[in-house]
């Protein structure tokens, strides 16, 4: 690594960044200083808008053209940059070998049309670290070090053939084989399910121990910070709120803001459920449902599930286990290959045309990426009216009144009614998506990872909102998530899915730990480990 | 795999069937009678008494089977087609199949050369425009593209001829199909078709530049050239369709350029035949054109899956392997 | 990337392969086409058989269209064969309009219905077969039975053999100008036993033999070494079709083509300052004529028709629609050199007042909008034009509008005019039939009630009576006088309105000597006196 023998691997001083759009300037970082010691894992903890990702981009010279650097110096190992605002910085020398990066969406961080081995080869050859044959050996060694088993096969794969967790580990290997002085990881595990998350974080700690890896880890997730951080910096609106040893900061927070963050988290952890379910009164019954894609890929195998009236049922599973396909089948977006889906006793799995439209009214979906599910050109009020127009419900005024009512119910302020998605926050977008689903008075609301992308505090707000609405309107909820904590707090029952089927019947969420399914136990353990020590 | 091929083949046959059926019906609905057009070339002395003429018309119509019901004519045509016979031209009495075969090389050569020019220009200028997005070079390329795209083909062709054949004397205006005569129509056609490729290449590249794998490649310390190459490979894939469509368009639509440069391809042959309503030739031409388009689309599928691993590895996405 | 390049390379090689393949295709293995791929800068660099350093000579003739077939009985084919020196008829018409012997040696009128034609014993077909009485009779019989357009010239003749080189021609009518009939290109003499499908087997008598032929593209000819008459000196003739008129003009300007036929009048200015090319504008013996549909109510009144003729300012039309390359003609026969006296008959000069007077008289009165009305209906004339007559149509429209006629122009495909004629739904259209030929044939085709060109349904007793007289008339003078009388009668009745001889512009290279202007240029380009000098 760096021949410099000073204790700091990275030092940032007086970093000032603002974004300029349509002549308006928004300051994101205001004179920020921090240091990163060699072999240390420093966590930058903050909610969206705190400027944490801007730091990652600023130290790698990858800020968008709209960014204005007011000042700041950077030192990476022996490389010093006195003024980051000046053009002509030799970034190509710093990137890769000085600072390497991990991105949130690892699958997208790899070139989709290149084999894994070619990624390695290109990097190693370009940096003159190996010959063509040497590159293969290095990549094999590196991947083995990162717990890959069938390395030769992996190297021949394309990114899309691998899971998100595997891609993130490959990105890590790609970064590490260049022996960087610092690894900047921007939300490296947020897109991963609990098991993969745990695996990547464990790896980071292992590499820190074994190779003295230095990491600047950027996250919004307190559990992630808890799991890996030596030190943590809490960032709020571009300003450091608090800095210190992880354990200290997370258990005895010094600043009010940190306390708020922790409180939001705990709010989720505290079970506060909606109306009790009406046992024995099924609204939805799934009987031996199977779904096969392209004649060979079985995604769902003989799934049985019952959802009672007013029940909030969680479906827990890792990415790729088939839970989203199940949601799509129920919502009528996919046609089941076998089996039946009964809505109040009537099979809805194979409906067409008008009948299908009628059922779609009774089962509504809320997606993970709410912003992407909303037409950016329409106002909140128009968006909520869309399904009414589509199904020709009510007159123009009636529709508008209904939309306004539900928007009010989900907590959208009157002045935001005429705003469009780009002018709204992610949380607001999710609220609009919920209002749009509820305006049809559905029997069942399916939430497919509806809170996974949200900040902790917003997550808590949305979950509380859903519970309140469920109490008010009495619908059932099918909550799909990989986040065991969210489901445990939110749902009456949880069913664990793996590999396209439920290993056992749904459990009361409070008694999930009693499950004898090894997979359920693994999920519980991963989540537990990461939270270990947190109150 | 076999079922896929079979399905594609069936699709192609259906396309051919309907396309030819539509053309068959349409050309017969259009005003003008091939027999009268053939016999009644104006320019000489008008005959007195038209009974001989009318008799001859009726006789020829019967001989050509034009007096029969359209459906019968179509079935007859299909029957002959099944035996590999495209029929004979009403005007020249020559085999349509061999006439088209004799002209197809000229058109394919011109189209392919033009396509190469188009691709070269599209890639180079599209890339320059994307890399210099918003800067002067980008603006200039945009202005040039708009100007070219809004200039009719015949104007560009005639200006090119006036310059290279008349002013500089480096191009020969003749009716030959020869290598020495290829460059100017190919360049003209290529330049005319390039703007849309330039614009799409630019847009694709800019989209790719915004993707994470590009930032990721950048973050691995790769130089600009390599980073651009990452993006370019992905930007090129959707271009294959564009290029194929453009090629199909060139084969069927190079008529104007073929006419201006008197390039002896099927475009000119078809145009001449359309003017005199030479049904068998028009039908044969349409069949060949549709066939080419079907073929090109089939090739696109092949090239696509060669370029994009996601297609031939379909169904393997997101495999949950525990390694 | 590599895959992409291989695709590109594949395309490139295909292109090259296609190109070379095509070359050998057009080559036909004949020596004259030996270097189609020669450098474009040396357009006349094809190797000459006499390689003694002499300028290799090739006469390049470019037309709007060339033959689609080699068989003289196919429509128009014989005109191109005649034009380029490959085919000959028994007689020909010189530039002065006089009939001269060609393949025949002489012709004498034995009695009013019998002619005797002497053939030349030295004439041979290209194959060497003698052109004797049997061969000539067989050729003419073949034309008569297979070429509809030859029938008007041959139907009235019965040809028998007197001896091997003497023919006797009996005519149905008295004083038929048999040599004139046998001068039309439709009667060119060909070997009826030969197959005219192919260059190798076709058999004509001309000074040039066809050596290479691509239908509607190109014909290459070489000197017929056994030609009976004066042999030409330019060894090779290339006759090419370039259908685009602008390209044809550019070809003439580029200096490649020595004779360029059908130069559009609109591009005359392009030749203005050119010293290497001159324009030949021999007036053609065909009159641009408006045919009126006499079954339309407003056109049944002869005064309206006359008014339309008086109201056409022919001097202006010649300038606007023919770029001054013609002269006004007020009666139909005026474009025939023999009837030049009829040029200004009847409508001696443009007279709008006279037109107005006639229309007033006919009850069509001008209203405030400048249009004439009768019984509340406007006086309309819809003029259909096609091809190069768009400008002419528009000029007429504005002239007629000035005399209060609501004129409309419909420019389109010729088939539209044909369709309109069949349905009867048309007012006026423009044609330019040849005025040259035997008087009765020419005039009866236009003005007898069953004339092929009597589109408007003109039926006039006086005209029919005169035509009958003409049919019987014996001596040339009385025929001439009768033709003039008919011509004048028709002009007065005005079923048609004659405007000017169709302009016929040919671009001729200054390096070509011996080019002869002809009023039927389309069949008279190549002659034995042509020579080329180096430019």
């Amino acid at each position: 690594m760096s021949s410099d023998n000073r204790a700091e691997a990275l030092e940032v001083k007086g970093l000032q960044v603002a974004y300029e759009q349509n002549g308006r300037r928004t300051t994101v970082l205001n004179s920020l200083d921090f240091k990163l010691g060699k072999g240390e894992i420093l966590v930058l903890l903050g909610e969206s808008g705190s400027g944490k990702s801007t730091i990652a981009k600023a130290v790698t010279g990858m800020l968008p053209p709209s960014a204005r650097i007011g000042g700041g110096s950077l030192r990476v190992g022996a490389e010093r940059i006195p003024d980051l605002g000046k053009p002509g910085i030799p970034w190509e020398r710093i990137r890769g070998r000085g600072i390497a990066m991990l991105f949130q969406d690892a699958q997208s961080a790899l070139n989709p049309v290149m084999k894994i081995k070619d990624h390695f080869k290109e990097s190693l050859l370009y940096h003159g670290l190996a010959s063509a044959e040497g590159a293969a050996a290095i990549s094999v060694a590196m991947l083995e070090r990162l717990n890959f088993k069938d390395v030769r096969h992996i190297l021949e794969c394309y990114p899309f053939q691998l899971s998100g967790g595997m891609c993130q580990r490959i990105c890590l290997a790609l970064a590490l084989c260049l022996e960087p002085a610092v690894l900047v990881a921007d939300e490296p595990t947020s897109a991963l399910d609990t098991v993969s998350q745990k695996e990547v974080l464990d790896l980071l700690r292992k590499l820190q121990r074994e190779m003295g890896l230095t990491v600047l880890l950027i996250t919004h997730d307190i559990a992630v910070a808890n799991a890996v951080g030596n030190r943590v910096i809490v960032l709020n609106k571009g300003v450091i709120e608090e800095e210190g040893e992880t354990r200290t900061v997370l258990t005895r927070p010094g600043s009010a803001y940190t306390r708020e963050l922790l409180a939001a988290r705990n709010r989720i952890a505290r079970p506060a459920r909606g109306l009790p379910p009406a046992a024995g009164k099924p609204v939805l019954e799934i009987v031996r449902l199977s779904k096969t894609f392209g004649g060979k890929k079985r995604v769902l195998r003989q799934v049985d599930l019952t959802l009672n009236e007013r029940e909030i049922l969680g479906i827990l599973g890792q990415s790729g286990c088939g839970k989203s396909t199940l949601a799509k089948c129920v919502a009528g977006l996919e046609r089941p290959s076998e089996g039946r889906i009964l809505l109040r006793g009537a099979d809805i799995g194979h409906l067409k045309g008008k009948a299908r439209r009628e059922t779609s009214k009774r089962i509504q979906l809320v997606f993970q990426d709410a912003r992407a599910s909303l037409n950016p050109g329409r106002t909140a009020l128009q968006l909520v009216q869309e399904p009414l127009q589509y199904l020709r419900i009510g007159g123009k005024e009636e529709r508008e009144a209904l939309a306004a009512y539900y928007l009010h119910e989900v907590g959208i302020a009157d002045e935001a009614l005429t705003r469009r998605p780009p002018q709204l926050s992610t949380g607001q977008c999710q609220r609009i998506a919920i209002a749009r689903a509820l305006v049809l008075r559905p029997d069942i609301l399916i939430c497919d990872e509806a809170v996974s992308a949200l900040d902790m505090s917003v997550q808590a707000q949305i979950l509380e909102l859903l519970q309140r609405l469920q109490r008010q309107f009495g619908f059932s909820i099918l909550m799909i998530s990989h986040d065991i904590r969210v489901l445990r707090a939110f749902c009456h029952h949880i069913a664990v899915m793996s590999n396209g089927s439920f290993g056992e019947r749904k459990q009361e969420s409070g008694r999930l730990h009693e499950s004898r399914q090894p997979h359920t136990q693994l999920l519980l353990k991963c989540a537990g480990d990461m939270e270990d020590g947190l109150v | 795999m076999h079922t896929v091929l079979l399905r594609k083949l069936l699709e192609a046959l259906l396309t051919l069937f309907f396309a030819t059926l539509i053309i068959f019906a349409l050309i017969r609905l259009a005003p003008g009678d091939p027999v009268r057009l053939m016999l009644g070339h104006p320019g000489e002395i008008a005959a007195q008494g038209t009974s001989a003429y009318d008799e001859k018309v009726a006789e020829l119509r019967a001989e050509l089977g034009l007096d029969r019901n359209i459906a019968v004519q179509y079935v007859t045509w299909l029957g002959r087609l099944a035996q590999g016979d495209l029929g004979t031209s009403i005007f020249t009495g020559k085999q349509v199949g061999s006439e088209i075969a004799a002209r197809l090389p000229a058109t394919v050569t011109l189209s392919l050369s033009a396509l190469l020019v188009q691709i070269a220009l599209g890639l180079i200028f599209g890339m320059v425009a994307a890399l210099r997005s918003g800067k002067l070079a980008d603006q200039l390329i945009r202005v040039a593209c708009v100007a070219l795209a809004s200039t009719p083909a015949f104007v560009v062709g005639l200006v090119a001829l006036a310059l290279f054949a008349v002013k500089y004397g480096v191009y020969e205006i003749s009716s030959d199909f020869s290598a020495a005569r290829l460059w100017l129509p190919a360049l003209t056609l290529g330049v005319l078709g390039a703007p849309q490729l330039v614009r799409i290449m630019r847009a694709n590249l800019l989209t790719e530049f915004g993707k994470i794998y590009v930032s990721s490649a950048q973050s691995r310390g790769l130089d600009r050239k390599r980073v651009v190459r990452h993006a370019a490979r992905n930007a090129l894939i959707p271009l294959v369709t564009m290029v194929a469509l453009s090629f199909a368009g060139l084969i069927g639509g190079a008529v104007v350029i073929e006419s201006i440069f008197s390039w002896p391809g099927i475009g000119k042959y078809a145009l001449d035949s359309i003017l005199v309503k030479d049904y068998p030739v028009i039908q044969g031409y349409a069949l060949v054109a549709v066939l080419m388009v079907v073929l090109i689309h089939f090739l696109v599928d092949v090239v696509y899956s060669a370029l994009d691993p996601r297609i031939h590895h379909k169904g393997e996405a997101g495999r949950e392997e525990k390694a | 990337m590599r895959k992409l390049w291989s695709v590109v390379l594949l395309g490139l090689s295909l292109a090259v392969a296609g190109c070379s393949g095509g070359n050998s295709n057009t080559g036909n293995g004949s020596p004259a086409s030996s270097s189609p791929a020669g450098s474009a800068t040396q357009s006349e660099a094809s190797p000459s058989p006499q390689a003694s350093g002499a300028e290799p000579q090739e006469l390049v003739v470019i037309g709007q269209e060339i033959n689609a077939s080699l068989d003289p009985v196919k429509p128009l084919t014989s005109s191109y064969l005649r034009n380029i020196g490959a085919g000959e008829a028994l007689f020909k018409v010189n530039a002065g309009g006089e009939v001269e012997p060609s393949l025949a040696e002489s012709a004498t009128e034995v009695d009013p219905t019998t002619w005797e034609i002497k053939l030349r014993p030295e004439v041979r077909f290209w194959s060497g077969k003698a052109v004797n009485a049997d061969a000539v009779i067989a050729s003419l019989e073949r034309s008569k039975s297979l070429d509809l357009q030859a029938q008007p010239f041959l139907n009235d003749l019965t040809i028998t053999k007197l001896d091997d080189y003497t023919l006797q021609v009996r005519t149905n009518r008295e004083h038929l100008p048999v040599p004139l009939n046998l001068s039309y290109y439709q009667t060119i003499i060909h070997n009826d036993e030969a197959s005219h499908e192919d260059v190798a087997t076709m058999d004509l008598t001309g000074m040039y033999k066809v050596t290479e032929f691509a239908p509607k593209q190109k014909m290459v000819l070489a000197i017929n070494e056994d030609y009976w008459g004066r042999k030409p000196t330019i060894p090779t003739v290339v006759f090419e079709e370039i259908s685009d008129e602008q390209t044809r003009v550019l070809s003439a300007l580029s200096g490649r083509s020595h004779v360029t036929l059908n130069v559009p009048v609109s591009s005359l200015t392009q030749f203005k300052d050119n010293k290497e090319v001159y324009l030949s504008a021999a007036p053609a013996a065909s009159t641009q004529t408006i045919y009126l549909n006499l079954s339309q109510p407003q056109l049944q009144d002869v005064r309206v028709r006359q008014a339309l003729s008086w109201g056409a300012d022919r001097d202006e039309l010649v300038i606007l629609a023919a770029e001054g390359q013609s002269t006004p003609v007020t009666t139909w026969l005026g474009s025939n050199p023999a009837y030049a006296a009829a040029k200004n008959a009847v409508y001696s000069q443009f007279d709008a007042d006279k037109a107005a007077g006639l229309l007033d008289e006919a009850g069509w009165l001008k209203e405030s909008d400048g249009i004439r009305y009768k019984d509340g209906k406007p006086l309309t004339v819809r003029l259909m034009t096609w091809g190069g007559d768009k400008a002419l149509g528009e000029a007429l429209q504005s002239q007629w509008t000035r005399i209060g006629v609501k004129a409309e122009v419909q420019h389109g495909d010729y088939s539209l005019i044909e369709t309109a004629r069949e349905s009867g739904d048309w007012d006026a259209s423009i044609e330019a039939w040849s005025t040259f030929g035997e008087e009765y044939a020419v005039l009866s085709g236009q003005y007898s009630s069953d004339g092929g060109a009597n589109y408007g349904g003109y039926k006039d007793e006086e005209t029919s009576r005169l035509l009958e007289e003409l049919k019987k008339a014996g001596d040339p003078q009385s025929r001439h006088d009768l033709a003039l009388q008919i011509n004048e009668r028709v002009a007065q009745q005005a079923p048609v309105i004659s405007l000017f001889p169709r302009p016929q512009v040919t671009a001729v290279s200054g390096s070509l000597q011996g080019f002869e202007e002809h009023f039927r240029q389309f069949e008279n380009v190549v002659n034995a006196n042509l020579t080329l000098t180096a430019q």
Side-chain angles (χ1 to χ4, degrees), chain C residues 80-395:
Chain C
Y80 301 112
L81 291 171
R82 149 84 73 88
N83 188 24
I84 209 68
E88 295 163 304
L90 292 175
F91 299 88
K92 70 176 182 205
V93 176
N94 68 19
E98 292 152 357
V99 182
E100 290 178 346
S102 178
L103 284 179
E105 199 173 55
S106 65
T108 35
E109 188 172 13
V110 181
D111 62 51
T113 57
T114 314
W115 285 72
E116 230 175 76
I117 296 173
K118 283 256 178 252
L119 300 174
R120 298 174 198 264
E122 71 272 27
V123 177
R124 290 273 183 279
F125 287 111
W126 297 340
S127 63
K129 183 182 163 184
V131 181
N132 54 24
D134 289 327
V136 168
I137 291 170
S139 168
L140 292 174
E141 280 303 320
R142 185 167 183 268
S143 297
K144 189 170 153 182
S145 65
L146 295 177
D147 184 358
L148 202 62
Q149 292 201 10
Q151 290 176 1
F153 312 116
L154 299 174
N155 275 350
D156 293 336
L157 314 183
T158 314
I159 308 172
T160 47
K161 171 179 159 184
L162 290 183
D163 64 48
D164 271 359
Y165 291 96
T166 312
L167 297 171
Q168 188 190 58
V169 183
R170 298 195 149 273
T171 60
N172 291 353
R173 290 191 278 126
E174 290 184 359
H175 304 297
L176 263 186
V178 170
L180 178 61
N181 274 24
L182 296 178
S183 74
Y184 284 94
Y185 61 78
Q186 286 90 343
T187 66
I188 70 172
I189 303 303
H190 55 286
N191 182 352
D192 79 306
E193 290 166 332
S195 155
H196 293 270
E197 294 296 311
D198 190 70
V199 171
T201 57
M202 69 183 289
D203 209 7
L204 302 172
T205 61
M207 61 180 81
Y208 281 102
K209 277 186 189 174
V210 183
T211 57
E212 193 190 317
F213 175 63
K216 286 186 63 71
Q217 182 191 335
K218 187 182 188 182
M219 191 151 62
V220 181
L221 303 98
I223 294 178
N224 171 13
E225 296 297 340
D226 303 321
Y227 187 56
W228 59 271
R230 198 184 142 193
K231 266 180 275 179
T233 56
I234 302 172
T236 312
V237 176
V238 175
F239 189 19
E240 280 184 298
E241 168 173 333
I242 294 183
S243 43
D244 188 86
E245 56 181 34
Q246 275 305 319
T247 309
R248 226 156 43 235
V249 168
L250 292 172
S251 169
L253 290 171
S254 77
R256 192 184 96 92
S257 56
H258 302 106
V259 178
T260 309
L261 300 162
N262 318 95
V263 171
V265 286
S266 55
S267 56
L268 295 182
T269 47
Q270 286 172 266
F271 290 91
K272 226 174 191 172
D273 302 318
N274 199 304
K275 292 183 183 69
E276 279 141 28
V277 186
Y278 70 90
L279 294 175
S280 144
S286 56
T287 308
Q288 287 279 35
T289 304
I290 306 164
Y291 288 75
L292 298 173
N293 183 0
L294 303 195
S295 49
Q296 298 289 19
Q298 79 274 32
L299 296 174
Q300 276 167 1
D301 190 331
V302 68
R303 288 168 297 194
V304 172
R305 306 199 299 262
Q306 286 168 342
L308 290 175
S309 190
W310 283 113
D313 182 351
R314 294 169 174 82
D315 288 302
E316 192 186 67
L317 293 175
V318 164
I319 291 162
L320 292 178
E323 303 283 333
Q325 297 296 315
S326 193
T327 46
V329 153
T330 59
T331 66
W332 191 70
L333 273 180
S335 66
N336 183 331
Y339 293 91
K343 263 184 180 178
N344 296 315
V346 189
Y347 304 95
S348 48
Q349 62 189 42
F350 166 64
D351 194 336
D353 296 334
K354 204 153 197 166
L358 281 163
L359 289 172
D360 285 339
E361 209 179 296
W364 294 96
L365 302 173
K366 220 170 197 170
E367 306 251 321
S368 55
D369 60 355
I371 301 293
R372 290 174 183 274
Y373 288 84
K374 187 169 161 181
D375 305 329
K377 271 194 226 147
L379 177 56
T380 55
V381 175
R382 289 167 300 155
L383 176 63
M384 298 182 90
T385 61
W386 71 288
D389 293 339
K390 191 164 188 256
L392 177 56
E394 282 162 2

Side-chain angles (χ1 to χ4, degrees), chain A residues 258-514:
Chain A
T258 317
R259 274 196 293 278
E260 252 173 63
L261 277 184
L262 286 165
R265 211 192 100 74
N266 290 338
R267 225 156 71 206
I268 300 169
R270 197 170 52 241
R273 309 228 165 82
L275 284 179
K281 276 181 77 182
V283 61
L284 181 77
E285 287 167 280
I286 296 168
V287 188
R288 306 180 75 76
L289 179 72
S290 292
K291 175 71 192 173
T292 313
F293 284 107
K296 51 185 172 190
K297 202 190 169 207
R298 293 197 77 179
V299 178
L300 295 176
R301 306 158 198 265
Q302 306 263 324
V303 172
D304 286 303
L305 193 72
T306 308
L307 177 68
N308 284 321
E309 269 194 48
R310 297 196 300 276
E311 179 176 351
I312 303 180
L313 173 60
I315 295 177
L316 179 66
Q318 286 179 258
S319 48
C321 74
K323 56 191 194 298
S324 286
T325 307
L326 178 67
K328 282 181 188 160
C329 285
V330 172
L333 299 177
E334 291 280 1
R335 213 159 273 276
S337 307
E338 279 169 49
R340 290 183 299 161
I341 302 171
L342 305 172
L343 179 67
R344 296 195 192 283
D347 193 347
I348 57 165
H350 300 276
L351 294 178
K352 278 184 190 151
K354 196 166 174 244
R356 215 196 94 177
R357 278 204 297 279
E358 278 302 306
T359 2
S360 76
K361 200 165 84 177
R362 295 162 68 188
I363 303 178
Q364 286 291 306
L365 253 169
V366 178
F367 298 94
Q368 170 169 12
D369 193 347
R371 197 186 290 278
S373 74
L374 301 175
N375 181 342
R378 305 193 132 198
T379 65
L381 209 53
Q382 287 168 334
L383 285 165
V384 177
Q385 288 177 68
E386 266 174 10
L388 297 173
Q389 278 165 346
Y390 176 59
L391 293 164
R392 301 208 184 87
I393 296 170
K396 192 172 174 293
E397 271 123 60
E398 197 184 340
R399 286 202 286 257
E400 200 169 305
L402 265 175
Y405 169 73
Y406 280 97
L407 280 166
H408 177 74
E409 285 298 312
V410 298
I412 295 288
D414 286 346
E415 66 266 23
L417 291 184
T418 52
R419 290 199 194 139
R420 292 162 219 275
Q423 302 154 328
L424 297 163
S425 73
T426 315
Q428 280 172 314
C429 286
Q430 196 58 281
R431 285 168 196 266
I432 291 168
I434 291 169
R436 189 164 66 161
L438 292 184
V439 76
L440 291 171
R441 299 296 306 266
D443 296 336
I444 301 169
L445 187 69
I446 304 175
C447 301
D448 190 356
E449 302 278 12
V451 296
S452 304
L454 302 177
D455 278 334
M456 222 49 92
S457 55
V458 185
Q459 237 180 45
Q461 287 165 11
I462 296 288
L463 290 174
E464 278 162 9
L465 170 71
L466 281 171
Q467 277 165 341
R468 182 169 64 70
L469 293 168
Q470 195 264 354
R471 277 198 300 274
Q472 192 174 339
F473 299 106
F475 49 83
S476 311
I477 299 179
L478 207 54
M479 184 85 179
I480 290 166
S481 178
H482 68 264
D483 192 334
I484 205 164
R485 202 171 40 87
V486 166
L487 294 186
R488 254 200 315 204
F490 182 68
C491 302
H492 301 119
H493 293 98
I494 295 175
V496 183
M497 187 174 237
S498 84
N499 223 350
S501 63
F502 295 111
E504 57 187 358
R505 299 171 65 87
K506 63 184 181 188
Q507 304 264 335
E508 258 182 57
S509 54
R511 302 167 70 177
L512 195 64
H513 57 276
E514 292 169 15

